[in-house]
Structures are given as C-alpha cells and as structure tokens.
Amino acid sequence: MKVKEAMSVLKCSYSTVRRYAYRGKIRTTKLPNGQIMYWDDDVYAMLGKKIQKENWTVVYTRVGGTTESDRVTMQRQQQRVLDWCLKRGLKVERLYDDWAPATVFSLDQRPGLHELIQDVIRKKVSVIIVETPDRLARVGWELFPAWFKYYGVEVVVINQAIQVPEYRAEQEKDLVNLLLKAGVDRLDTLAAEELPKPRKREKREHPGKIVPDWEDKPVEDRDLSDLM
C-alpha cells in the first residue's frame, strides 16, 4: 500500500510510518518509478491483525474468440497445461479462462483475468501457470509477472516460444488489428479480418478495492506509543 494508506490504517503521521519502516517493523518495496510501497501484512500486523493467506496453484488459459475452432483450441490448451502439472505433482486449485484477444483487458472481455487478479490481491494465489506468455498479454506481457511478484506470486510459463499454429494465427490477427486501431495505412495487402466477437456477457461492475479477510476479529484500537 502507499504511504497515505498506511497513515490512514495506523492513524499516524508520515514521519511515524517512515520511522516504523526504518526500524524494520514495516517492510517496503521500491518501485521502478521510485515510489515506496509498504507491505500490507506488516502494516496490519502493527494493529494485531493478520491477513488470511492461502497458497493456491492456479492455471490461466485464453483463446482469441468463441468459434468452434477456438473451443477445440481451448480444450487442447487446458489439457496440455493440466497434464504438465500432473506430471510434476502439482495440485491445481482453480482454472481461469477467457475467450477474447490478448490485446483487450476490460472486465467485460476478460472476466477470467480480473477474477485472477482479485484472488491475487486477496492473497489466495501463490503460483500462476500459463502455457505461453501471450495467453496473458500480447504486448507488455512482462508487466504481469513483475506486478504479481509484488504480491509474492510467481508466474510459471511452460513454453516461452509460440509454437502452436493456432496461437501464431491469433498473433497475426492481433497485430493486424492493433495496427488498424492505430490508424496505420496500407494494410489492405495483409488481408486483415475482424476478430470473432466474444459471447454476450452481462454488464459487470468493477468491485473496487479488495478488502482483506482477517483470521481473527480485528482489534479496534491499539496504543502504538510503546513501539515508537
């Protein structure tokens, strides 16, 4: 959490939060942009609260549309990943799936990804397994493992190279449509075609900030003067 959130939770000043961090009572992480993030666990521990944490190993799968071919591709993808986990003795707690291009990230189009992110924030997930990087994102994929790492979650990629023919065809469509959206000219020779539209889903509302669950009943107030 940011320093203002830590100040709000602890009901103390900026200098007090910094003092706790300096003394090692609250661990911190420095982001690439220089911002300091304070560990949620340590901040709440100062109030005698402990966040529930589970250790799920989960799988995320995705295909580019909802055609019959996409359904076959999804079935094969999930089977390959689950077989890989079985051979290594990994118990999969949950499987998330999406039926949309790797270049979209809205809640309506990628509900599976959003559910995964929510469970990461709730500290339920410890390992995420994907078949290839593009299952998560076509562009800027490196952000996902870096972001999940801040929550102590590791992303395991089975194959770094895109070798499945269906994935390569999907990649071509994604790149062409990215160029079309950017308004790039002279694409007529690339035979760009519209991507299959995902099945109609009901409108979803963003859940907002995820509130942690507590193992014990939260302590209302605690005198922190003895720790200063």
Side-chain angles (χ1 to χ4, degrees):
M1 65 177 66
K2 296 180 180 179
V3 66
K4 287 186 177 180
E5 293 178 88
M7 291 164 57
S8 176
V9 171
L10 297 175
K11 295 181 173 61
C12 66
S13 66
Y14 172 81
S15 60
T16 300
V17 174
R18 292 293 297 156
R19 190 181 306 119
Y20 290 152
Y22 178 75
R23 294 180 179 179
K25 296 183 183 297
I26 300 178
R27 288 168 289 180
T28 61
T29 298
K30 187 174 184 179
L31 302 182
N33 63 4
Q35 186 175 37
I36 303 297
M37 302 297 289
Y38 296 79
W39 287 34
D40 293 23
D41 308 59
D42 293 351
V43 171
Y44 287 113
M46 298 290 290
L47 299 176
K49 299 177 180 180
K50 187 177 181 181
I51 300 176
Q52 283 185 339
K53 185 170 183 178
E54 301 182 52
N55 291 289
W56 290 359
T57 294
V58 303
V59 167
Y60 178 80
T61 57
R62 184 196 60 76
V63 293
T66 58
T67 65
E68 182 66 27
S69 175
D70 289 320
R71 289 192 282 273
V72 172
T73 301
M74 175 67 85
Q75 181 184 42
R76 291 174 178 172
Q77 178 186 163
Q78 292 180 348
Q79 193 60 55
R80 284 192 297 267
V81 176
L82 293 176
D83 286 346
W84 185 91
C85 293
L86 182 63
K87 289 179 181 178
R88 288 156 181 79
L90 298 175
K91 180 184 177 183
V92 176
E93 298 288 345
R94 186 169 178 183
L95 190 152
Y96 306 82
D97 60 29
D98 277 319
W99 305 73
T103 54
V104 298
F105 299 97
S106 72
L107 180 60
D108 289 331
Q109 294 171 301
R110 300 277 294 273
L113 178 61
H114 282 258
E115 289 173 10
L116 171 60
I117 291 172
Q118 291 170 29
D119 284 339
V120 166
I121 294 173
R122 290 190 177 103
K123 296 187 176 292
K124 293 184 177 182
V125 179
S126 60
V127 178
I128 301 169
I129 300 174
V130 295
E131 186 179 18
T132 55
D134 64 322
R135 297 305 90 196
L136 278 172
R138 180 74 59 204
V139 179
W141 120 268
E142 299 88 350
L143 174 64
F144 281 92
W147 182 80
F148 287 137
K149 192 172 182 179
Y150 290 127
Y151 288 88
V153 178
E154 172 151 6
V155 177
V156 176
V157 179
I158 297 176
N159 296 313
Q160 290 290 341
I162 303 175
Q163 300 175 335
V164 179
E166 290 83 359
Y167 296 176
R168 291 184 177 180
E170 179 188 313
Q171 177 177 254
E172 292 177 6
K173 289 182 179 180
D174 283 352
L175 295 177
V176 166
N177 279 274
L178 280 173
L179 293 173
L180 287 172
K181 287 180 180 179
V184 178
D185 297 327
R186 298 186 300 277
L187 291 177
D188 53 313
T189 58
L190 298 181
E193 60 183 47
E194 185 179 354
L195 288 175
K197 295 181 179 179
R199 285 188 292 268
K200 186 176 180 180
R201 302 176 185 272
E202 66 177 39
K203 184 69 175 177
R204 292 169 176 252
E205 293 186 5
H206 197 286
K209 184 175 181 178
I210 303 298
V211 179
D213 297 321
W214 309 112
E215 289 186 350
D216 303 308
K217 184 178 180 180
V219 178
E220 294 297 331
D221 290 295
R222 181 183 175 187
D223 184 5
L224 301 179
S225 59
D226 57 323
L227 299 176
M228 297 174 61

